[in-house]
Amino acid sequence: MKSFLVLLVVLLAASFVFHRGGVPVSRPSDSRGLLFIANQFDHTALVVNLDSRQIAAKAGVDINGHEVAVGPDHRFGYVPIYGNSGVGKPGTDGSTIHVVDLSAGRAAKIIDLGKPVRPHCAKFGPDGMLYVSAELSNAIQVLDPATGKIVGTIPTGAPESHMFVLSPDGHRAYTSNVGTGSVSVLDVLNRALITVIPVAKRVQRISISHDGRFVFTHDQDAPRIAVIDTATNKLARWIELPASVYSSAPTPDGRLLLANAPSGKLLVIDLSSEKMIASYPIPEAIGEITIDHTGTRAYVSCPQKGTIEVFDILGGKLEAPIMLTPGVDGLEWFPAIS
């Protein structure tokens, strides 16, 4: 009788955990998750299943989408349409953001920004708003994804504000201003510019430590990464490297910074010592890095080669690349929905 009562209690507890209030609660998935990827050359947005390494969905977008963002509920992906040029170069000027249904693989709607601004980098803040760099307006625009309306604008005080990061609490934004070689610090809550930090002659891309204490941007004329102290909003020091890098991403545990060198290296930097501890050969390419939420694997886009390089962070080794087509660029990891 006692054994029966113990078994009954266990079953009831399990029922409560997985059917709280009669509503099923999904168990943690063993899936590696998915990637949402913009392909500049094909003018498409892709969803790649990381278990099968196959394209699960594909949607056509306008010319050209460089970067992507995945909504907090993982139902929709957002692709700002930058235009057919590079930063600071002549060409068409995009004015829209394509919203993609990630399950159906089709465009759900198009958000019109009202004028050509070359929207580029997009990120969701903790407040649920979508933040998008408006390069021609020297600003970051704040959009309500529910209405597709611009609800605020934050001036960057510099041209070519190409990429940006948000602090973990969403109170600050930091932009890399390519041609002026600077980083702008923005007060997100008050929609205001705090300061512009001179860094180098020319910089590219930007990342932030998971505790929000440091921001990293990359000198394009010297093999080094700038370390900005967010407490003082000053350039604190440099991380010297064997090659110039284009983009970087910290691991979720805060131990490592991964950086890709256009010359064909994935560099691993120990953030406690701020020294490079390993490098791995990847195709010569200017791409982006995304890391899964567990810090198990990093994915590096190589636009010229058309591959997604897969790095086993814990094992310290490259896995076989995911073979796609040239043009793969901005990418974001997101979990599979059980």
Side-chain angles (χ1 to χ4, degrees), residues 3-337:
S3 299
F4 173 78
L5 289 174
V6 170
L7 178 61
L8 182 61
V9 169
V10 170
L11 291 173
L12 287 172
S15 177
F16 175 77
V17 170
F18 294 109
H19 294 84
R20 203 175 304 154
V23 179
V25 177
S26 59
R27 301 169 186 261
S29 173
D30 292 329
S31 170
R32 288 192 178 190
L34 304 109
L35 293 177
F36 185 46
I37 307 170
N39 188 307
Q40 287 196 45
F41 299 171
D42 290 350
H43 314 139
T44 57
L46 312 174
V47 177
V48 172
N49 184 307
L50 292 171
D51 294 325
S52 66
R53 293 172 159 251
Q54 300 296 314
I55 295 173
K58 179 190 289 190
V61 296
D62 211 344
I63 304 171
N64 284 335
H66 294 192
E67 300 297 320
V68 298
V70 174
D73 62 1
H74 310 133
R75 292 181 57 217
F76 296 102
Y78 297 76
V79 186
I81 304 303
Y82 182 80
N84 66 1
S85 66
V87 58
K89 297 179 181 179
T92 60
D93 304 325
S95 61
T96 60
I97 299 171
H98 284 228
V99 184
V100 176
D101 184 320
L102 295 174
S103 296
R106 59 176 176 78
K109 63 179 178 180
I110 296 175
I111 297 173
D112 191 340
L113 300 176
K115 64 178 182 180
V117 295
R118 289 192 177 184
H120 188 254
C121 181
K123 294 183 182 297
F124 276 89
D127 57 2
M129 294 294 104
L130 178 63
Y131 295 82
V132 182
S133 58
E135 198 170 294
L136 296 183
S137 295
N138 300 346
I140 289 179
Q141 293 183 335
V142 188
L143 286 86
D144 181 345
T147 64
K149 302 296 184 184
I150 298 172
V151 296
T153 299
I154 312 171
T156 66
E160 299 182 7
S161 299
H162 199 57
M163 299 291 287
F164 70 92
V165 290
L166 294 169
S167 61
D169 60 10
H171 293 174
R172 295 285 184 268
Y174 304 86
T175 70
S176 59
N177 310 315
V178 176
T180 58
S182 62
V183 169
S184 296
V185 184
L186 312 182
D187 181 337
V188 174
L189 300 181
N190 294 304
R191 312 283 197 253
L193 172 66
I194 295 174
T195 190
V196 178
I197 305 167
V199 175
K201 184 178 179 181
R202 185 178 176 85
V203 297
Q204 258 294 356
R205 306 280 172 140
I206 195 165
S207 63
I208 187 169
S209 62
H210 280 269
D211 59 10
R213 292 178 58 203
F214 300 107
V215 163
F216 309 99
T217 192
H218 320 105
D219 191 338
Q220 295 304 281
D221 297 302
R224 58 184 187 171
I225 293 177
V227 182
I228 292 170
D229 187 329
T230 60
T232 62
N233 290 330
K234 294 183 182 299
L235 174 60
R237 54 194 172 273
W238 293 96
I239 299 173
E240 303 292 339
L241 298 169
S244 297
V245 301
Y246 188 73
S247 58
S248 65
T251 55
D253 60 10
R255 293 190 312 109
L256 304 174
L257 183 70
L258 307 182
N260 69 324
S263 57
K265 294 287 184 183
L266 176 66
L267 309 180
V268 181
I269 299 156
D270 182 336
L271 284 176
S272 63
S273 65
E274 295 185 344
K275 302 291 185 183
M276 189 192 80
I277 57 174
S279 70
Y280 301 85
I282 60 173
E284 296 182 7
I286 297 173
E288 192 169 355
I289 304 170
T290 189
I291 300 175
D292 64 26
H293 74 299
T294 64
T296 302
R297 289 176 178 81
Y299 301 91
V300 187
S301 61
C302 295
Q304 288 80 356
K305 187 73 172 178
T307 63
I308 305 296
E309 302 299 310
V310 182
F311 179 60
D312 177 350
I313 298 171
L314 302 181
K317 61 183 179 180
L318 287 169
E319 298 181 353
I322 299 170
M323 308 301 294
L324 297 173
T325 58
V328 290
D329 192 4
L331 74 170
E332 184 172 328
W333 180 92
F334 66 102
I337 301 174

